[in-house]
Amino acid sequence: MKVTIAGSGYVGLVTAACLANKGETVTCVDVNEEKIAQLNAGRLPIYEEGLSELMQSSFGTHLFFSSDCSAAYCNSEVVFIAVGTPEKKDGSANLKHVNQVAEEIAKAANQDMVIVIKSTVPIGTNQRIRSIVNRFKDPNIRISVASNPEFLSQGSAIRDMLQAPRIVIGSEDTFAKTTLEQLYSSFDCPIVHMDCNSAEMVKYASNDFLALKISYINEIANLCEIVEANVEDVAHAMGLDPRIGDRFLKAGIGYGGSCFPKDTKALHWLANYHDYELKTIKAAIEVNENQKLKLIKKARKYYDSFEGLTVAILGLTFKPGTDDLREAPSLVNVPILLEEGARIQVYDPVGMKNFQSIFRETVCYSITPEAALKDADLCFVLTEWQEIRELTADIFVKQMQHPIILDGRNCLKKSCSKDNRLTIEQIGL
Ligand code: UDX
Protein backbone atom coordinates (compact mmCIF):
# COMPACT_ATOMS: atom_id res chain seq x y z
CA MET A 1 0.00 0.00 0.00
CA LYS A 2 1.04 3.62 -0.50
CA VAL A 3 1.40 5.13 2.96
CA THR A 4 2.42 8.60 4.08
CA ILE A 5 3.47 9.45 7.63
CA ALA A 6 3.04 13.09 8.66
CA GLY A 7 5.73 13.86 11.23
CA SER A 8 9.32 12.62 11.32
CA GLY A 9 9.65 12.55 15.07
CA TYR A 10 10.21 9.47 17.13
CA VAL A 11 6.78 7.88 16.52
CA GLY A 12 6.63 8.87 12.83
CA LEU A 13 10.08 7.52 11.99
CA VAL A 14 9.58 4.22 13.83
CA THR A 15 6.17 3.73 12.19
CA ALA A 16 7.60 4.59 8.74
CA ALA A 17 10.60 2.28 9.10
CA CYS A 18 8.51 -0.66 10.37
CA LEU A 19 5.82 -0.38 7.66
CA ALA A 20 8.50 -0.03 4.95
CA ASN A 21 10.20 -3.10 6.41
CA LYS A 22 6.89 -4.92 5.95
CA GLY A 23 6.96 -4.05 2.22
CA GLU A 24 4.65 -1.01 2.16
CA THR A 25 5.70 2.04 0.11
CA VAL A 26 6.15 4.70 2.76
CA THR A 27 6.92 8.42 2.54
CA CYS A 28 7.68 10.20 5.78
CA VAL A 29 7.05 13.95 5.50
CA ASP A 30 7.87 16.91 7.71
CA VAL A 31 7.68 20.69 7.36
CA ASN A 32 11.17 20.85 8.89
CA GLU A 33 13.27 20.82 5.71
CA GLU A 34 16.53 20.48 7.66
CA LYS A 35 15.28 17.30 9.31
CA ILE A 36 14.23 15.86 5.92
CA ALA A 37 17.62 16.78 4.44
CA GLN A 38 19.33 14.98 7.37
CA LEU A 39 17.17 11.89 6.80
CA ASN A 40 17.85 11.87 3.05
CA ALA A 41 21.56 12.09 3.89
CA GLY A 42 21.15 8.97 6.03
CA ARG A 43 21.43 10.80 9.35
CA LEU A 44 18.87 10.26 12.14
CA PRO A 45 17.67 13.36 14.06
CA ILE A 46 16.91 11.12 17.06
CA TYR A 47 18.68 8.29 18.89
CA GLU A 48 16.73 5.02 18.85
CA GLU A 49 18.36 1.57 19.03
CA GLY A 50 18.30 -0.20 15.66
CA LEU A 51 16.29 2.47 13.84
CA SER A 52 19.11 3.61 11.60
CA GLU A 53 19.79 0.08 10.36
CA LEU A 54 16.08 -0.61 9.82
CA MET A 55 15.68 2.58 7.82
CA GLN A 56 18.78 1.94 5.73
CA SER A 57 17.42 -1.48 4.75
CA SER A 58 14.46 0.07 2.87
CA PHE A 59 15.60 3.64 2.17
CA GLY A 60 15.12 4.49 -1.53
CA THR A 61 13.13 1.33 -2.28
CA HIS A 62 10.22 1.33 0.17
CA LEU A 63 11.09 4.30 2.39
CA PHE A 64 11.29 7.93 1.28
CA PHE A 65 11.51 11.34 2.99
CA SER A 66 10.07 14.59 1.70
CA SER A 67 9.13 18.08 2.83
CA ASP A 68 6.61 18.38 -0.02
CA CYS A 69 3.79 17.17 2.23
CA SER A 70 0.86 17.77 -0.13
CA ALA A 71 2.55 15.90 -2.99
CA ALA A 72 2.95 12.92 -0.66
CA TYR A 73 -0.61 13.10 0.71
CA CYS A 74 -2.50 13.45 -2.57
CA ASN A 75 -2.52 9.83 -3.77
CA SER A 76 -1.80 7.94 -0.55
CA GLU A 77 -4.12 5.13 0.51
CA VAL A 78 -3.32 5.70 4.18
CA VAL A 79 -1.94 8.83 5.84
CA PHE A 80 -0.79 8.58 9.47
CA ILE A 81 -0.81 11.74 11.57
CA ALA A 82 2.17 11.34 13.91
CA VAL A 83 2.88 14.95 14.86
CA GLY A 84 3.48 16.23 18.37
CA THR A 85 0.67 17.01 20.83
CA PRO A 86 2.69 18.91 23.46
CA GLU A 87 1.28 19.73 26.86
CA LYS A 88 -0.18 23.21 27.33
CA LYS A 89 0.33 25.20 30.56
CA ASP A 90 -3.00 23.93 31.95
CA GLY A 91 -2.02 20.31 31.24
CA SER A 92 -4.27 19.89 28.22
CA ALA A 93 -2.92 18.66 24.89
CA ASN A 94 -2.00 21.17 22.15
CA LEU A 95 -3.70 19.93 18.95
CA LYS A 96 -2.61 22.79 16.67
CA HIS A 97 -0.31 20.63 14.55
CA VAL A 98 -2.79 17.74 14.32
CA ASN A 99 -5.56 20.07 13.13
CA GLN A 100 -3.24 21.78 10.63
CA VAL A 101 -2.06 18.51 9.10
CA ALA A 102 -5.62 17.13 8.86
CA GLU A 103 -6.67 20.20 6.89
CA GLU A 104 -3.65 19.91 4.56
CA ILE A 105 -4.33 16.24 3.89
CA ALA A 106 -7.99 16.91 3.12
CA LYS A 107 -7.11 19.70 0.71
CA ALA A 108 -4.40 17.64 -1.04
CA ALA A 109 -6.33 14.34 -1.32
CA ASN A 110 -7.30 13.35 -4.86
CA GLN A 111 -8.35 9.77 -4.10
CA ASP A 112 -10.20 7.80 -1.41
CA MET A 113 -8.03 7.33 1.68
CA VAL A 114 -7.92 6.64 5.39
CA ILE A 115 -6.42 9.22 7.72
CA VAL A 116 -5.08 7.50 10.85
CA ILE A 117 -4.36 9.43 14.02
CA LYS A 118 -1.28 7.85 15.58
CA SER A 119 -0.48 10.80 17.89
CA THR A 120 -1.77 10.64 21.44
CA VAL A 121 -4.85 12.87 21.40
CA PRO A 122 -7.63 13.71 23.88
CA ILE A 123 -10.71 11.52 23.70
CA GLY A 124 -13.08 12.97 21.12
CA THR A 125 -10.36 14.37 18.84
CA ASN A 126 -11.11 11.88 16.08
CA GLN A 127 -14.61 13.27 15.68
CA ARG A 128 -13.26 16.82 15.49
CA ILE A 129 -10.67 15.82 12.90
CA ARG A 130 -13.41 14.15 10.87
CA SER A 131 -15.34 17.43 10.70
CA ILE A 132 -12.19 19.34 9.67
CA VAL A 133 -11.55 16.79 6.90
CA ASN A 134 -15.16 16.92 5.68
CA ARG A 135 -14.99 20.70 5.57
CA PHE A 136 -11.93 20.83 3.28
CA LYS A 137 -11.95 17.66 1.18
CA ASP A 138 -13.29 17.23 -2.37
CA PRO A 139 -16.91 16.09 -1.84
CA ASN A 140 -16.41 13.34 -4.44
CA ILE A 141 -13.62 11.76 -2.42
CA ARG A 142 -14.19 9.39 0.50
CA ILE A 143 -11.87 10.01 3.44
CA SER A 144 -12.31 8.00 6.63
CA VAL A 145 -10.63 9.02 9.88
CA ALA A 146 -9.45 6.30 12.26
CA SER A 147 -7.49 6.02 15.49
CA ASN A 148 -4.43 3.76 15.88
CA PRO A 149 -2.64 4.70 19.10
CA GLU A 150 1.05 3.85 19.52
CA PHE A 151 2.45 1.96 22.50
CA LEU A 152 6.13 2.50 21.75
CA SER A 153 8.69 2.77 24.55
CA GLN A 154 11.86 4.66 23.70
CA GLY A 155 14.83 2.33 23.45
CA SER A 156 12.62 -0.62 22.41
CA ALA A 157 10.30 1.11 19.91
CA ILE A 158 11.01 -1.14 16.92
CA ARG A 159 10.32 -4.30 18.94
CA ASP A 160 7.28 -2.63 20.48
CA MET A 161 5.87 -2.08 16.99
CA LEU A 162 6.98 -5.23 15.12
CA GLN A 163 6.20 -7.50 18.10
CA ALA A 164 3.25 -5.55 19.45
CA PRO A 165 1.03 -7.61 21.82
CA ARG A 166 -1.99 -6.01 20.18
CA ILE A 167 -2.94 -3.40 17.58
CA VAL A 168 -5.80 -1.09 18.52
CA ILE A 169 -7.97 0.30 15.73
CA GLY A 170 -10.70 2.84 16.36
CA SER A 171 -12.97 3.34 13.35
CA GLU A 172 -16.49 4.41 12.47
CA ASP A 173 -16.86 2.68 9.06
CA THR A 174 -15.90 -0.54 7.27
CA PHE A 175 -13.70 1.26 4.73
CA ALA A 176 -11.27 2.32 7.50
CA LYS A 177 -11.58 -1.02 9.28
CA THR A 178 -10.82 -3.18 6.22
CA THR A 179 -8.06 -0.88 4.94
CA LEU A 180 -6.21 -1.06 8.28
CA GLU A 181 -6.86 -4.80 8.60
CA GLN A 182 -5.09 -5.15 5.23
CA LEU A 183 -2.24 -2.82 6.23
CA TYR A 184 -1.59 -4.75 9.44
CA SER A 185 -2.35 -8.22 8.02
CA SER A 186 1.33 -9.24 8.20
CA PHE A 187 1.60 -8.35 11.92
CA ASP A 188 1.43 -11.39 14.16
CA CYS A 189 -0.87 -10.13 16.92
CA PRO A 190 -4.58 -9.56 17.62
CA ILE A 191 -6.12 -6.49 15.98
CA VAL A 192 -8.66 -5.06 18.43
CA HIS A 193 -11.45 -3.01 16.85
CA MET A 194 -13.56 -0.47 18.71
CA ASP A 195 -15.05 3.00 18.25
CA CYS A 196 -12.67 5.97 18.07
CA ASN A 197 -13.31 7.38 21.53
CA SER A 198 -12.52 4.02 23.09
CA ALA A 199 -9.32 3.66 21.04
CA GLU A 200 -8.18 7.11 22.16
CA MET A 201 -9.01 6.16 25.75
CA VAL A 202 -7.01 2.89 25.57
CA LYS A 203 -3.82 4.85 25.01
CA TYR A 204 -4.33 7.18 27.96
CA ALA A 205 -5.72 4.47 30.23
CA SER A 206 -2.73 2.19 29.47
CA ASN A 207 -0.07 4.84 29.93
CA ASP A 208 -1.66 6.28 33.02
CA PHE A 209 -2.00 2.84 34.57
CA LEU A 210 1.72 2.22 34.03
CA ALA A 211 2.54 5.60 35.54
CA LEU A 212 0.28 4.82 38.50
CA LYS A 213 2.02 1.47 38.95
CA ILE A 214 5.38 3.24 39.14
CA SER A 215 4.11 5.84 41.62
CA TYR A 216 2.57 3.04 43.67
CA ILE A 217 5.85 1.11 44.02
CA ASN A 218 7.66 4.38 44.73
CA GLU A 219 5.29 5.05 47.63
CA ILE A 220 5.81 1.50 48.87
CA ALA A 221 9.57 2.14 48.59
CA ASN A 222 9.27 5.33 50.62
CA LEU A 223 7.39 3.40 53.32
CA CYS A 224 9.92 0.55 53.16
CA GLU A 225 12.63 3.06 54.13
CA ILE A 226 10.61 4.02 57.20
CA VAL A 227 9.80 0.49 58.36
CA GLU A 228 13.16 -0.96 57.23
CA ALA A 229 11.79 -3.29 54.57
CA ASN A 230 13.45 -4.01 51.21
CA VAL A 231 11.38 -2.76 48.28
CA GLU A 232 13.32 -4.82 45.72
CA ASP A 233 12.39 -8.02 47.60
CA VAL A 234 8.81 -6.79 48.02
CA ALA A 235 8.48 -5.89 44.31
CA HIS A 236 9.99 -9.20 43.23
CA ALA A 237 7.52 -11.20 45.30
CA MET A 238 4.61 -9.00 44.17
CA GLY A 239 5.59 -9.42 40.52
CA LEU A 240 5.42 -13.21 40.76
CA ASP A 241 1.67 -12.84 41.03
CA PRO A 242 0.47 -12.87 37.39
CA ARG A 243 -2.36 -10.54 38.37
CA ILE A 244 0.26 -7.90 39.25
CA GLY A 245 3.08 -8.67 36.81
CA ASP A 246 6.73 -7.86 37.37
CA ARG A 247 7.15 -4.94 34.97
CA PHE A 248 6.91 -1.26 35.94
CA LEU A 249 7.50 -2.20 39.57
CA LYS A 250 11.02 -0.75 39.76
CA ALA A 251 11.29 1.86 42.50
CA GLY A 252 13.38 4.95 41.77
CA ILE A 253 13.28 8.70 41.60
CA GLY A 254 10.23 8.76 39.38
CA TYR A 255 9.17 8.53 35.77
CA GLY A 256 10.11 11.01 33.04
CA GLY A 257 9.83 10.94 29.28
CA SER A 258 7.54 12.52 26.70
CA CYS A 259 4.52 10.39 27.56
CA PHE A 260 3.75 9.50 31.17
CA PRO A 261 4.02 13.07 32.52
CA LYS A 262 2.04 14.49 29.58
CA ASP A 263 -0.58 11.74 29.36
CA THR A 264 -1.32 11.67 33.10
CA LYS A 265 -1.83 15.44 33.15
CA ALA A 266 -3.89 15.38 29.93
CA LEU A 267 -6.29 12.69 31.20
CA HIS A 268 -6.57 14.39 34.58
CA TRP A 269 -7.29 17.69 32.83
CA LEU A 270 -9.91 16.08 30.54
CA ALA A 271 -11.73 14.51 33.50
CA ASN A 272 -11.66 17.83 35.37
CA TYR A 273 -13.05 19.53 32.28
CA HIS A 274 -16.05 17.25 32.69
CA ASP A 275 -16.22 17.94 36.45
CA TYR A 276 -14.79 14.55 37.33
CA GLU A 277 -11.65 14.16 39.46
CA LEU A 278 -9.34 11.23 38.57
CA LYS A 279 -8.04 10.85 42.14
CA THR A 280 -5.72 7.93 41.31
CA ILE A 281 -4.04 9.81 38.46
CA LYS A 282 -3.81 12.97 40.56
CA ALA A 283 -2.02 10.94 43.21
CA ALA A 284 0.32 9.38 40.61
CA ILE A 285 1.30 12.86 39.39
CA GLU A 286 1.87 14.24 42.91
CA VAL A 287 3.88 11.21 44.06
CA ASN A 288 6.05 11.44 40.96
CA GLU A 289 6.77 15.13 41.35
CA ASN A 290 7.87 14.60 44.97
CA GLN A 291 9.86 11.49 44.08
CA LYS A 292 12.14 13.46 41.75
CA LEU A 293 13.29 15.53 44.75
CA LYS A 294 14.04 12.54 46.96
CA LEU A 295 17.80 12.53 46.45
CA ILE A 296 18.06 16.23 47.30
CA LYS A 297 16.38 15.47 50.62
CA LYS A 298 18.75 12.58 51.22
CA ALA A 299 21.76 14.76 50.35
CA ARG A 300 20.77 17.28 53.01
CA LYS A 301 21.48 14.60 55.65
CA TYR A 302 25.17 14.95 54.75
CA TYR A 303 25.52 18.60 53.83
CA ASP A 304 23.58 21.59 55.21
CA SER A 305 24.32 23.46 52.00
CA PHE A 306 25.65 22.52 48.55
CA GLU A 307 27.66 25.75 48.38
CA GLY A 308 31.16 25.01 47.07
CA LEU A 309 30.59 21.24 46.85
CA THR A 310 31.63 19.24 43.78
CA VAL A 311 28.70 17.06 42.78
CA ALA A 312 28.88 14.26 40.19
CA ILE A 313 25.68 13.60 38.21
CA LEU A 314 25.75 10.17 36.56
CA GLY A 315 22.97 9.83 33.97
CA LEU A 316 21.00 12.73 32.46
CA THR A 317 18.38 11.12 30.18
CA PHE A 318 14.96 10.04 31.45
CA LYS A 319 15.98 6.41 30.98
CA PRO A 320 18.76 4.41 29.30
CA GLY A 321 18.68 3.67 25.55
CA THR A 322 17.69 7.19 24.53
CA ASP A 323 19.14 10.72 24.29
CA ASP A 324 15.79 12.18 25.40
CA LEU A 325 15.86 14.47 28.42
CA ARG A 326 12.16 15.33 28.52
CA GLU A 327 10.92 15.38 32.14
CA ALA A 328 14.14 13.67 33.24
CA PRO A 329 14.99 13.91 36.98
CA SER A 330 18.26 15.63 35.99
CA LEU A 331 16.25 18.65 34.81
CA VAL A 332 14.88 19.05 38.34
CA ASN A 333 17.93 18.18 40.44
CA VAL A 334 20.73 20.04 38.62
CA PRO A 335 19.11 23.51 38.83
CA ILE A 336 18.64 23.11 42.61
CA LEU A 337 22.30 22.15 43.08
CA LEU A 338 23.49 24.97 40.83
CA GLU A 339 21.31 27.52 42.61
CA GLU A 340 22.95 26.55 45.91
CA GLY A 341 26.42 27.05 44.51
CA ALA A 342 27.50 23.48 43.78
CA ARG A 343 30.06 22.72 41.10
CA ILE A 344 28.46 20.09 38.86
CA GLN A 345 30.29 17.42 36.82
CA VAL A 346 27.90 15.46 34.55
CA TYR A 347 28.25 12.23 32.61
CA ASP A 348 25.82 10.56 30.20
CA PRO A 349 26.83 8.29 27.28
CA VAL A 350 24.43 9.93 24.80
CA GLY A 351 22.45 12.71 26.54
CA MET A 352 25.15 15.35 27.09
CA LYS A 353 24.67 17.13 23.75
CA ASN A 354 20.99 17.74 24.47
CA PHE A 355 21.81 18.64 28.08
CA GLN A 356 24.42 21.19 26.92
CA SER A 357 21.83 22.87 24.67
CA ILE A 358 19.88 23.65 27.88
CA PHE A 359 22.56 24.13 30.57
CA ARG A 360 25.37 25.43 28.33
CA GLU A 361 28.62 25.78 30.32
CA THR A 362 27.01 26.04 33.76
CA VAL A 363 28.16 22.48 34.37
CA CYS A 364 31.28 20.49 33.44
CA TYR A 365 30.87 17.70 30.88
CA SER A 366 32.82 14.49 31.52
CA ILE A 367 33.37 11.87 28.84
CA THR A 368 33.62 9.06 31.40
CA PRO A 369 31.88 8.36 34.71
CA GLU A 370 35.30 8.31 36.38
CA ALA A 371 36.02 11.87 35.20
CA ALA A 372 32.65 13.05 36.54
CA LEU A 373 33.47 11.47 39.92
CA LYS A 374 36.90 13.18 40.22
CA ASP A 375 37.20 14.93 43.61
CA ALA A 376 33.40 14.85 44.05
CA ASP A 377 31.87 15.34 47.50
CA LEU A 378 28.61 13.76 46.44
CA CYS A 379 27.29 11.63 43.56
CA PHE A 380 23.72 11.45 42.20
CA VAL A 381 22.91 8.42 40.02
CA LEU A 382 19.89 9.44 37.92
CA THR A 383 19.89 7.03 34.94
CA GLU A 384 20.77 3.33 35.02
CA TRP A 385 23.09 3.22 31.98
CA GLN A 386 25.27 0.09 31.82
CA GLU A 387 28.41 2.26 32.06
CA ILE A 388 27.15 3.45 35.46
CA ARG A 389 25.87 0.10 36.69
CA GLU A 390 29.30 -1.46 36.28
CA LEU A 391 31.17 1.07 38.45
CA THR A 392 32.98 -0.60 41.36
CA ALA A 393 33.48 0.54 44.96
CA ASP A 394 37.20 0.99 44.22
CA ILE A 395 36.42 3.54 41.51
CA PHE A 396 34.16 5.56 43.81
CA VAL A 397 36.77 5.47 46.61
CA LYS A 398 39.64 6.34 44.28
CA GLN A 399 37.89 9.15 42.44
CA MET A 400 35.71 10.87 45.03
CA GLN A 401 36.80 13.28 47.77
CA HIS A 402 33.87 12.04 49.89
CA PRO A 403 32.33 8.76 48.54
CA ILE A 404 28.69 9.60 49.30
CA ILE A 405 26.54 8.12 46.53
CA LEU A 406 22.78 8.63 46.13
CA ASP A 407 21.58 5.89 43.78
CA GLY A 408 18.22 7.06 42.40
CA ARG A 409 17.73 3.94 40.28
CA ASN A 410 18.92 1.24 42.71
CA CYS A 411 21.22 0.18 39.90
CA LEU A 412 24.68 0.01 41.50
CA LYS A 413 26.37 -3.30 42.23
CA LYS A 414 25.46 -5.05 45.48
CA SER A 415 29.21 -5.05 46.24
CA CYS A 416 29.07 -1.25 46.35
CA SER A 417 26.19 -1.10 48.84
CA LYS A 418 28.00 -3.65 51.02
CA ASP A 419 31.37 -1.86 50.93
CA ASN A 420 31.80 0.11 54.17
CA ARG A 421 34.22 2.54 52.52
CA LEU A 422 31.22 4.02 50.73
CA THR A 423 28.10 5.75 52.00
CA ILE A 424 25.34 4.66 49.62
CA GLU A 425 21.68 5.63 49.80
CA GLN A 426 19.13 3.96 47.55
CA ILE A 427 15.34 4.09 47.15
CA GLY A 428 13.39 1.83 49.47
CA LEU A 429 16.38 -0.21 50.57
C1 UDX B 1 6.12 4.91 27.84
C2 UDX B 1 5.25 3.66 27.73
O1 UDX B 1 5.98 2.54 28.24
C3 UDX B 1 4.91 3.41 26.26
O2 UDX B 1 4.05 2.29 26.17
C4 UDX B 1 4.21 4.66 25.71
O3 UDX B 1 3.86 4.47 24.35
C5 UDX B 1 5.13 5.86 25.85
O4 UDX B 1 5.49 6.04 27.22
P1 UDX B 1 8.65 5.56 27.55
O5 UDX B 1 8.20 6.82 28.21
O6 UDX B 1 9.45 5.62 26.30
O7 UDX B 1 7.34 4.65 27.20
O8 UDX B 1 9.53 4.75 28.59
P2 UDX B 1 9.24 3.72 29.76
O9 UDX B 1 10.16 2.60 29.58
O10 UDX B 1 7.80 3.44 29.89
O11 UDX B 1 9.74 4.54 31.08
C6 UDX B 1 9.10 5.76 31.39
C7 UDX B 1 9.72 6.26 32.69
O12 UDX B 1 9.33 5.40 33.77
C8 UDX B 1 11.25 6.30 32.69
O13 UDX B 1 11.68 7.51 33.32
C9 UDX B 1 11.63 5.10 33.57
O14 UDX B 1 12.84 5.34 34.27
C10 UDX B 1 10.47 5.04 34.54
N1 UDX B 1 10.23 3.70 35.07
C11 UDX B 1 9.87 2.69 34.23
C12 UDX B 1 10.35 3.50 36.46
O15 UDX B 1 10.67 4.42 37.20
N2 UDX B 1 10.10 2.26 36.96
C13 UDX B 1 9.73 1.22 36.15
O16 UDX B 1 9.55 0.11 36.67
C14 UDX B 1 9.63 1.43 34.75
Side-chain angles (χ1 to χ4, degrees):
M1 294 177 91
K2 189 176 180 313
V3 179
T4 295
I5 315 276
S8 64
Y10 158 71
V11 172
L13 286 176
V14 170
T15 305
C18 290
L19 290 176
N21 176 263
K22 288 284 186 181
E24 310 303 345
T25 302
V26 183
T27 304
C28 188
V29 296
D30 200 299
V31 292
N32 183 325
E33 293 183 13
E34 190 195 320
K35 232 186 204 183
I36 294 299
Q38 256 192 327
L39 288 161
N40 279 321
R43 288 195 311 277
L44 261 188
I46 58 163
Y47 176 95
E48 179 59 37
E49 304 270 336
L51 184 56
S52 183
E53 296 77 4
L54 189 66
M55 286 168 64
Q56 287 310 319
S57 67
S58 48
F59 179 59
T61 55
H62 287 91
L63 179 61
F64 304 89
F65 300 104
S66 169
S67 53
D68 186 348
C69 304
S70 300
Y73 298 146
C74 66
N75 55 5
S76 291
E77 296 169 82
V78 178
V79 180
F80 282 90
I81 297 181
V83 293
T85 54
E87 184 188 323
K88 288 196 278 194
K89 281 204 173 39
D90 64 1
S92 64
N94 183 335
L95 297 174
K96 186 179 69 169
H97 304 306
V98 171
N99 296 337
Q100 220 166 354
V101 167
E103 181 179 328
E104 282 164 19
I105 298 167
K107 284 176 179 170
N110 63 19
Q111 69 171 55
D112 293 356
M113 67 171 64
V114 179
I115 294 177
V116 185
I117 301 177
K118 178 70 82 173
S119 306
T120 304
V121 292
I123 294 104
T125 299
N126 207 289
Q127 290 163 23
R128 285 190 288 278
I129 296 296
R130 195 170 296 112
S131 56
I132 290 173
V133 168
N134 290 335
R135 196 182 323 148
F136 291 103
K137 75 176 183 66
D138 177 333
N140 301 315
I141 290 176
R142 178 175 56 171
I143 301 182
S144 290
V145 182
S147 169
N148 174 217
E150 52 85 9
F151 300 96
L152 309 178
S153 286
Q154 291 182 218
S156 61
I158 292 168
R159 188 176 63 243
D160 293 338
M161 178 153 184
L162 294 179
Q163 297 164 31
R166 48 64 175 106
I167 290 171
V168 173
I169 304 286
S171 60
E172 307 300 337
D173 59 50
T174 47
F175 173 51
K177 189 173 173 183
T178 48
T179 302
L180 292 178
E181 280 276 357
Q182 185 192 340
L183 180 67
Y184 283 122
S185 56
S186 61
F187 283 69
D188 181 20
C189 69
I191 296 179
V192 187
H193 289 283
M194 58 192 74
D195 64 75
C196 291
N197 284 4
S198 303
E200 290 164 343
M201 176 61 91
V202 168
K203 168 69 182 179
Y204 279 109
S206 301
N207 259 13
D208 289 18
F209 176 74
L210 293 171
L212 182 57
K213 198 173 176 186
I214 293 168
S215 283
Y216 177 78
I217 198 65
N218 282 339
E219 282 221 289
I220 294 296
N222 297 342
L223 184 56
C224 282
E225 288 183 13
I226 296 165
V227 299
E228 295 183 10
N230 180 309
V231 74
E232 302 279 312
D233 293 339
V234 170
H236 172 65
M238 285 172 66
L240 292 172
D241 181 335
R243 294 172 303 172
I244 297 172
D246 61 355
R247 296 194 60 193
F248 291 77
L249 270 184
K250 184 96 178 79
I253 40 163
Y255 58 76
S258 62
C259 295
F260 287 166
K262 175 171 71 71
D263 294 352
T264 45
K265 288 175 195 156
L267 196 63
H268 184 259
W269 180 89
L270 182 78
N272 264 347
Y273 178 78
H274 296 287
D275 295 328
Y276 183 73
E277 168 90 284
L278 283 177
K279 296 177 186 62
T280 50
I281 302 309
K282 183 168 185 252
I285 295 167
E286 285 170 3
V287 167
N288 196 59
E289 278 160 10
N290 291 330
Q291 201 70 7
K292 286 184 180 176
L293 297 170
K294 207 160 156 65
L295 296 190
I296 293 285
K297 289 193 186 80
K298 286 178 179 288
R300 293 204 194 281
K301 289 188 328 193
Y302 303 93
Y303 297 101
D304 295 335
S305 154
F306 302 125
E307 175 75 40
L309 291 184
T310 297
V311 182
I313 305 287
L314 300 186
L316 300 171
T317 55
F318 81 92
K319 71 174 199 175
T322 176
D323 63 350
D324 197 337
L325 296 171
R326 284 176 287 185
E327 304 283 336
S330 61
L331 301 184
V332 172
N333 285 273
V334 170
I336 294 171
L337 294 163
L338 282 173
E339 205 175 298
E340 289 200 22
R343 180 176 179 282
I344 309 279
Q345 299 174 168
V346 302
Y347 165 77
D348 188 289
V350 297
M352 285 197 287
K353 186 161 155 279
N354 288 343
F355 197 81
Q356 192 162 19
S357 66
I358 303 169
F359 287 85
R360 304 255 175 263
E361 303 315 312
T362 60
V363 301
C364 302
Y365 298 89
S366 310
I367 53 169
T368 64
E370 290 80 356
L373 290 166
K374 189 90 185 84
D375 302 331
D377 302 297
L378 191 56
C379 169
F380 282 57
V381 175
L382 301 181
T383 317
E384 64 277 26
W385 287 100
Q386 190 53 34
E387 295 87 340
I388 297 165
R389 286 174 175 278
E390 56 200 23
L391 292 170
T392 62
D394 287 346
I395 290 173
F396 286 111
V397 170
K398 177 169 169 284
Q399 294 299 97
M400 294 181 76
Q401 187 73 19
H402 298 101
I404 300 171
I405 301 107
L406 307 176
D407 179 4
R409 294 295 181 191
N410 294 351
C411 67
L412 296 179
K413 292 173 183 291
K414 284 262 180 296
S415 54
C416 286
S417 46
K418 290 196 172 71
D419 191 307
N420 57 21
R421 295 174 297 169
L422 304 181
T423 301
I424 289 204
E425 292 244 17
Q426 294 179 301
I427 307 283
L429 297 178

